[in-house]
Amino acid sequence: MWFSFFIYSVLTALLPGPNNILALNSSMKSGYKNSKTLLLGIYSGFTVVMLLAAFFTGFLLNSYGFLMNYLKYIGAVYLIYLAWSVMSGKPTVTDHEQEIPVSDSAGNFWKGFLLQLVNVKIIIYGITAFSSFVFPQFKELWIVLIFAFLLSFIGNSATWIWAVAGQNLQQFLNQYYKIVNIVMGVLLLYCAVSLFL
């Protein structure tokens, strides 16, 4: 069972999704250093969602299963918006030593954080992990919290991998930005469509 949990959590986290594609796109356009505030927002929001998934999985599935449909539609609309933003974006030439203004940094943090609240991929990731692997085996609060932080660590590590890939491949990706943006946009559209399959 734990091998299945590990395979599920790692592979699902590494698959293209809103966090990974946004991290790749941001570090590709602005560099890793200038993307740290956005990434911190993603990491923080992801952790909050995993904690919420830990505490409310049983409640949501047993009492208010219809909420997942609303989250699915909200998430799909946001994924379509992100896809359009990515596909229509152009690379920016940045000075990686230049500081980002505080207002932009705060906005990027909240952009990354709020994405998590409508990111159906990670909501389903958390609910599936807890309902399929954790709760059938454990009911103790401290163990459930450990799994919430473990899932958060795995998911955030995958996002970090995509961000580093964007930084290290920036020159190549900027040269072929139209193709890269279309591929990333199509992957986001696929994420939106797959919510209904």
Side-chain angles (χ1 to χ4, degrees):
M1 192 208 53
W2 296 116
F3 182 71
S4 296
F5 169 79
F6 179 76
I7 295 296
Y8 164 77
S9 59
V10 170
L11 287 182
T12 303
L14 287 170
L15 289 173
N19 291 348
N20 297 341
I21 293 172
L22 187 61
L24 174 71
N25 192 318
S26 179
S27 65
M28 179 185 79
K29 287 183 174 183
S30 304
Y32 178 77
K33 181 179 178 183
N34 290 336
S35 299
K36 284 183 179 179
T37 305
L38 173 71
L39 294 172
L40 182 61
I42 291 173
Y43 301 157
S44 301
F46 195 105
T47 303
V48 167
V49 169
M50 288 303 104
L51 290 169
L52 291 172
F55 289 113
F56 296 111
T57 295
F59 179 74
L60 286 175
L61 294 178
N62 292 331
S63 302
Y64 296 102
F66 69 91
L67 287 178
M68 288 307 295
N69 287 331
Y70 292 114
L71 289 174
K72 187 187 315 184
Y73 290 112
I74 292 169
V77 168
Y78 192 69
L79 288 171
I80 292 167
Y81 163 75
L82 282 178
W84 175 80
S85 296
V86 167
M87 286 193 277
S88 63
K90 294 183 178 169
T92 56
V93 178
T94 60
D95 177 6
H96 298 300
E97 300 303 317
Q98 182 180 351
E99 293 291 319
I100 296 176
V102 175
S103 62
D104 289 342
S105 293
N108 285 336
F109 175 86
W110 289 111
K111 179 180 180 181
F113 185 89
L114 294 173
L115 168 63
Q116 306 319 297
L117 302 180
V118 296
N119 185 345
V120 177
K121 179 189 174 197
I122 70 159
I123 293 168
I124 293 173
Y125 169 78
I127 289 172
T128 302
F130 285 108
S131 63
S132 301
F133 300 107
V134 179
F135 287 131
Q137 301 293 320
F138 305 103
K139 303 288 187 237
E140 297 87 356
L141 177 62
W142 68 275
I143 294 176
V144 171
L145 288 173
I146 287 172
F147 276 101
F149 286 110
L150 176 62
L151 287 167
S152 179
F153 175 77
I154 292 168
N156 288 331
S157 296
T159 300
W160 178 81
I161 289 168
W162 281 69
V164 169
Q167 170 68 33
N168 291 334
L169 298 173
Q170 183 177 14
Q171 183 178 0
F172 170 81
L173 295 172
N174 279 342
Q175 183 177 355
Y176 300 102
Y177 79 92
K178 286 182 182 179
I179 295 168
V180 171
N181 285 1
I182 289 171
V183 168
M184 289 190 300
V186 167
L187 288 172
L188 280 169
L189 289 173
Y190 170 76
C191 291
V193 169
S194 69
L195 296 176
F196 303 100
L197 300 177

